[in-house]
């Protein structure tokens, strides 16, 4: 399968080593790869940041964070101390080119000759450094042919900046060395969409406009922006979630079967989905894209009260929109997608609504059957909702589910997304990473929304009380098309309090 890059000694360099992503996701992922012997026998992890740590300060700091973010049953004192002994820290400013000789010297000190430049750079920094770091690596000859770079999303701020960023990356690395990460593709349940569709013959014949009425994609969270105000306020839900995570989910649901499961064939099909997104008309931009921002509710603070958020911020924390795909399979099938912070619950799921039976001979007012729910998280699994006869006299129909829940499937644990993707990068397998052309194709579509929000005919930004299902206008959007959102918990709405900001 893979060329066993895993056996080659490796240095992993993390820019942004004292940040949130490193402690919450990257170190736990590396530790789990280490525990499962999925890292090379010889490796070191070099954290880089402006905070003035030494190795002696950095190790206990990461150790205490690991104890917080790794499941208790996975903590083994001997293993964790062994892992920690591979960690090093270099205090430098990644935005200053003259600091990079320090990095060269540190890498030389940490690695023996047999490493052959096998270095993985991870950019866990604010997006403003994504363009600078590769250029400084190149200026210091740190971009040899065995190096790889993982860069977090959002890749670019809009189409123009994504294009410029791609140009920078391509001038420093080859496309095969660039790993634009979107951690949703590392999720087992997301990858399983491919297996579900293409390893089985059951659903594929139904997977088109003749049998599917519409599709919903929801990724909502019940928390706010936590300590990420600085980043989030210049990003917003569209850049943070929609342009990447949500369209990635859409691409797996909508794509044609790739010729083979290899990086090029697979990613060609993703690109085609993005290129087939129907451009949004002026009317769509006004009425079919709803943006909102959470406001204070009885027990939760509003977005503008969060740390580092200006009182007059117009950054969206919620988006709901209707999309169409212009191709033979999906013509006329609406895709409704939404994401939001401070919602009633955290759930990511895809709901495929099949067309109703052409003639209903049973009396039923059910509207929650005839659908397939692909639940990405939590309660990971797949549910097929069907109408069943209620036993006894008459022909009353009620809803029932055929359920495939991961926690009931023996030997199918839900693995960690970051661990999977970091391992793929070590192995040199870019399949689950976003290719440069796809990033730009996605931005090409979403740029129209960003431009409409900056224009003087910008659609309103609606306030929604924290802890509710978003602006009532997103319900109106669905009503216009004779449907409604499938909300995992239904008893929580507070529509009276909505307002326009
Ligand atoms: C990140 C976003 O990419 O994804 C966050 O920056 C968001 O704002 C997170 O909370 C959601 O990821 P997950 O895996 O928890 O659904």
């Amino acid at each position: 399968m893979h060329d066993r890059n895993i056996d080659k000694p490796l240095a992993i360099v993390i820019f942004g080593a004292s940040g949130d992503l490193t402690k919450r996701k990257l170190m736990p992922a590396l530790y789990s790869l280490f525990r499962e012997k999925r890292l090379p026998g010889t490796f070191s992890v070099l954290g880089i940041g402006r905070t003035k740590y030494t190795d002696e300060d950095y190790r206990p700091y990461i150790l205490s964070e690991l104890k917080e973010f790794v499941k208790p049953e996975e903590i083994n004192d001997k293993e964790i101390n062994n892992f920690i002994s591979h960690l090093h820290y270099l205090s430098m400013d990644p935005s200053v080119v003259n600091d990079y000789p320090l990095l060269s010297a540190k890498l030389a000190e940490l690695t023996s000759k047999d490493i052959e430049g096998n270095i993985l750079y991870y950019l866990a920094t604010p997006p403003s450094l994504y363009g600078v770091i590769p250029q400084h690596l190149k200026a210091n000859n740190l971009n040899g042919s065995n190096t790889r770079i993982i860069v977090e999303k959002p890749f670019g701020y809009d189409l123009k900046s994504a294009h410029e960023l791609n140009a920078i990356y391509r001038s420093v690395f080859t496309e095969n060395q660039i790993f634009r990460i979107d951690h949703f593709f590392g999720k087992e349940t997301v990858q399983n969409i491919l297996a579900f569709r293409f390893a089985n013959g059951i659903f594929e014949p139904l997977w088109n406009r003749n049998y599917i009425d519409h599709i919903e994609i929801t990724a909502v969270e019940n928390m706010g922006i936590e300590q990420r105000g600085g980043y989030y306020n210049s990003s917003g839900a569209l850049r943070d979630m929609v342009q990447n995570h949500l369209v990635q989910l859409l691409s797996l649901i909508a794509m044609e079967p790739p010729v083979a499961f290899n990086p090029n064939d697979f990613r060609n099909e993703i690109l085609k989905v993005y290129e087939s997104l129907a451009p949004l008309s002026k009317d769509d931009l006004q009425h079919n894209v709803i943006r909102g921002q959470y406001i204070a509710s009885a027990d939760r603070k509003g977005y503008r009260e969060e740390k580092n958020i200006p009182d007059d911020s117009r950054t969206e924390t919620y988006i709901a929109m209707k999309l169409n795909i212009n191709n033979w399979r999906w013509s006329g099938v609406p895709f409704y997608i939404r994401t939001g912070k401070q919602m009633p619950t955290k759930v990511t799921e895809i709901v495929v609504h099949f067309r109703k039976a052409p003639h209903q001979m049973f009396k039923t007012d059910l509207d929650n059957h005839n659908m397939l729910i692909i639940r990405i998280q939590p309660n990971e699994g797949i549910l097929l909702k069907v109408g069943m006869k209620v036993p006894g006299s008459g022909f009353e129909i009620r809803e029932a589910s055929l359920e495939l829940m991961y926690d009931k499937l023996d030997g199918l644990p839900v693995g960690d997304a970051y661990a999977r993707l970091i391992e793929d990068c070590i192995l040199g397998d870019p399949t689950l990473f976003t290719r440069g052309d796809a990033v730009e194709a996605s931005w090409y579509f979403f740029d129209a929304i960003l431009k409409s929000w900056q224009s003087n005919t910008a659609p309103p930004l609606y306030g929604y009380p924290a802890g509710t299902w978003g602006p009532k206008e997103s319900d109106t959007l669905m009503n216009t098309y004779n449907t409604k959102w499938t909300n995992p918990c239904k008893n929580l709405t507070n529509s009276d309090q909505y307002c326009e900001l």
Side-chain angles (χ1 to χ4, degrees), residues 49-342:
R50 282 182 305 184
T51 313
K52 300 245 173 283
Y53 286 124
T54 60
D55 290 2
E56 286 64 41
D57 314 317
Y58 191 57
R59 289 178 185 166
Y61 158 66
I62 292 297
L63 182 63
S64 68
E65 297 297 346
L66 280 175
K67 289 193 170 157
E68 187 173 343
F69 293 109
V70 170
K71 290 187 201 131
E73 65 272 21
E74 287 170 12
I75 294 190
N76 168 307
D77 280 345
K78 195 167 155 225
E79 278 173 339
I80 212 163
N81 286 323
N82 194 349
F83 171 72
I84 289 291
S85 70
H86 292 259
L87 304 188
H88 304 269
Y89 188 86
L90 172 66
S91 168
M92 64 171 259
D93 184 344
S95 66
V96 175
V97 68
N98 290 339
D99 274 10
Y100 282 68
L102 294 173
L103 173 57
S104 302
K106 187 79 177 180
L107 282 169
E109 176 195 320
L110 290 180
T111 57
S112 55
K113 284 210 182 69
D114 57 1
I115 190 166
E116 292 167 1
N118 194 22
I119 304 170
L120 190 170
Y121 299 110
Y122 200 119
L123 267 52
T125 62
S128 54
L129 290 174
Y130 292 175
V132 176
I133 294 173
Q135 298 185 73
H136 291 351
L137 290 173
K138 183 177 176 184
N140 286 273
N141 293 323
L142 287 165
N143 61 327
S145 59
N146 282 341
T147 58
R148 269 145 284 149
I149 187 162
I150 301 185
V151 54
E152 271 292 333
K153 49 123 286 250
F155 191 86
Y157 191 73
D158 54 14
L159 176 60
K160 184 165 171 282
S161 56
H163 186 70
E164 287 164 1
L165 212 48
N166 264 335
I168 292 175
Y169 276 70
R170 288 173 184 143
S171 71
V172 178
F173 299 104
T174 61
E175 181 66 34
N176 279 346
Q177 291 172 281
I178 309 168
F179 291 74
R180 298 174 195 80
I181 194 168
D182 179 314
H183 78 279
F184 268 42
F185 263 12
K187 292 179 191 276
E188 207 61 61
T189 44
V190 171
Q191 294 160 22
N192 192 44
I193 297 173
L194 290 171
F196 183 78
R197 285 192 56 198
F198 302 132
N200 302 296
I202 306 174
F203 286 101
E204 205 46 30
L206 307 179
W207 213 255
N208 58 52
R209 65 186 189 286
N210 296 322
Y211 298 97
I212 292 180
D213 185 76
H214 67 280
I215 294 180
E216 288 174 74
I217 303 180
T218 292
V220 293
E221 297 172 273
N222 52 359
M223 56 187 203
I225 50 160
E226 304 201 296
Q227 304 309 315
R228 300 164 74 218
Y231 153 74
Y232 195 89
N233 201 52
S234 58
S235 170
L238 188 98
R239 295 183 177 92
D240 187 51
M241 292 292 292
V242 181
Q243 183 272 337
N244 28 70
H245 301 328
L246 263 67
V247 283
Q248 296 268 39
L249 294 180
L250 176 107
S251 70
L252 297 186
I253 291 293
M255 75 195 304
E256 295 303 315
V259 175
F261 193 59
N262 64 40
N264 258 344
D265 290 337
F266 172 64
R267 297 191 297 174
N268 285 346
E269 296 306 330
I270 291 182
L271 176 65
K272 284 189 211 160
V273 174
Y274 296 166
E275 289 175 338
S276 313
L277 289 169
L280 298 168
S281 66
K282 277 193 182 145
D283 191 61
D284 291 328
L285 291 164
Q286 280 300 323
H287 304 292
N288 290 341
V289 181
I290 309 296
R291 57 176 176 156
Q293 184 187 86
Y294 60 85
I295 56 174
S297 58
D299 55 346
R300 301 194 204 179
K301 60 176 156 185
Y303 178 71
R304 292 176 182 179
E305 280 97 65
E306 302 273 16
K307 196 169 155 211
N308 293 331
I309 304 299
D311 296 347
D312 58 351
S313 168
R314 296 191 62 76
T315 298
E316 78 290 352
T317 60
Y318 176 93
I319 293 197
M321 63 182 291
K322 171 177 175 280
L323 301 167
N324 277 90
I325 296 178
N326 279 343
N327 65 17
W328 276 58
R329 189 188 280 265
W330 296 115
S331 179
V333 179
F335 286 75
Y336 300 98
I337 67 177
R338 64 178 167 163
T339 184
K341 299 274 185 202
Q342 289 290 16

Side-chain angles (χ1 to χ4, degrees), residues 294-295 297 300 341-345 464-470 492-493:
Y294 60 85
I295 56 174
S297 58
R300 301 194 204 179
K341 299 274 185 202
Q342 289 290 16
M343 303 265 106
T345 185
Y464 61 95
T468 64
W469 279 110
L492 285 156
T493 41

